[in-house]
Amino acid sequence: MTRSIVVGLDGTEQAKAAAEWAAEEALLRGTGVHLVYAREPVPESVLSFMPRGSDETWAEEMLSRTAARLRERRPGLSVTTRMLPAGPVPGLVAAAEESELLVLGSRALGSVAGYLLGSVGLTVAGAVERPVVLVRAGSGASDPRRPVVVGTDVRQPVDAVLGFAFEEAARHDSQIHVVYAEQLPLFAGLGPAMVPDIRLALAPEIERSLEELLEPWRAKYPDVEAVDRVVVGSAGLKLVEAAGDAALVVVGRRTRHSALGAPIGSVAHAALHHSPVPVAVVAHA
């Protein structure tokens, strides 16, 4: 049975944009969309003053309206809805594991509402094994023919991340821009005359490594034009800069857990907080 794309709704404009993005993606994948809502726990002291069933009624109406809008704009698209019995984090994590993809709305850096930059979105994105796509309001309408941008490391390439990016580029009939950022050694900042020498020395070797890395992917996806780019500087900053011309940014995160949970790396953090276009976070070992 084909898995659906799960969208976590919370009533924000960002969540609406996430639903629209997911619906377009579902049409390309030949699957359906599953809209879910999970309520934040409400303290008993507050719950006692709330009208009985008010939150459930609002959520059910929101799910119903969103589903109707998606079906109206895309006849034939399968859209289902569900109220999750658990809270947002466990509910979304469980729903995601039964899906192809989890899609959430995302706000710009500094916002506190919605599923992303509160603890919920980041916790979910750092815990789900399936890919998670974060969509900002307005970004869902971007031209799908714009390239897919993916950050990679030639020293530790990750097949799961590159595979997802190439598959998305093939699905959208777009280019893929593979970006590798080389962080200069600290001593390079001691004198501007040293920087060009370091770049000249490193660039040919890195470019060859990147070409070798992409060779099997180009063979697997011959219809996808893959453009490789070697840049100097912070990987997170350079990826965000590249996002300005993209339809989607793809970043990886390690699944290795620590006592503090499964953190999202600095590059993924930068993309999630600052990318103007949807960001896909792909888990890898």
Side-chain angles (χ1 to χ4, degrees):
M1 181 176 179
T2 304
R3 294 173 183 263
S4 294
I5 296 176
V6 169
V7 184
L9 296 183
D10 61 1
T12 63
E13 291 301 312
Q14 289 73 25
K16 292 179 182 178
E20 294 291 337
W21 188 94
E24 291 298 316
E25 184 73 10
L27 290 177
L28 292 173
R29 291 174 176 243
T31 186
V33 174
H34 187 47
L35 306 175
V36 301
Y37 172 78
R39 186 180 70 183
E40 288 276 10
V42 180
E44 288 293 333
S45 58
V46 175
L47 192 61
S48 61
F49 292 98
M50 294 177 62
R52 184 177 297 274
S54 59
D55 182 70
E56 287 80 2
T57 299
W58 171 84
E60 288 171 354
E61 291 177 349
M62 176 192 64
L63 289 170
S64 179
R65 286 195 308 271
T66 305
R69 185 176 68 248
L70 296 184
R71 294 188 190 106
E72 180 181 0
R73 295 178 179 179
R74 302 164 185 85
L77 176 67
S78 172
V79 184
T80 56
T81 65
R82 184 186 178 197
M83 293 279 290
L84 300 178
V89 172
L92 289 170
V93 170
E97 296 307 329
E98 299 176 355
S99 71
E100 281 195 15
L101 198 65
L102 173 66
V103 184
L104 302 175
S106 113
R107 288 176 180 262
L109 184 63
S111 298
V112 294
Y115 271 147
L116 178 57
L117 288 185
S119 60
V120 172
L122 290 176
T123 301
V124 171
V128 171
E129 300 295 330
R130 302 285 179 186
V132 181
V133 177
L134 293 306
V135 180
R136 192 155 293 164
S139 65
S142 62
D143 188 344
R145 293 168 297 181
R146 297 170 74 181
V148 172
V149 169
V150 57
T152 191
D153 187 341
V154 295
R155 299 180 181 90
Q156 295 179 321
V158 179
D159 285 350
V161 179
L162 286 173
F164 181 91
F166 268 88
E167 186 66 30
E168 281 298 294
R171 190 175 285 122
H172 289 267
D173 192 24
S174 64
Q175 286 185 334
I176 182 170
H177 290 184
V178 183
V179 179
Y180 171 75
E182 177 67 30
Q183 183 75 52
L184 289 177
L186 292 177
F187 66 77
L190 298 178
M194 299 180 67
V195 176
D197 294 337
I198 291 173
R199 291 178 179 177
L200 288 173
L202 291 176
E205 178 184 349
I206 294 173
E207 289 173 356
R208 282 195 299 272
S209 297
L210 194 52
E211 287 291 332
E212 292 173 359
L213 172 65
L214 295 180
E215 185 176 352
W217 294 102
R218 285 176 169 140
K220 184 175 181 180
Y221 295 91
D223 294 331
V224 174
E225 182 182 357
V227 178
D228 52 285
R229 300 169 56 186
V230 178
V231 295
V232 177
S234 163
L237 177 61
K238 294 302 179 181
L239 203 58
V240 170
E241 289 177 356
D245 297 322
L248 177 71
V249 173
V250 182
V251 295
R253 75 154 185 90
R254 293 188 178 277
T255 56
R256 185 166 54 235
H257 290 248
S258 68
L260 299 177
I264 293 177
S266 60
V267 176
H269 260 290
L272 289 174
H273 287 309
H274 300 292
S275 170
V277 302
V279 177
V281 182
V282 181
H284 63 85

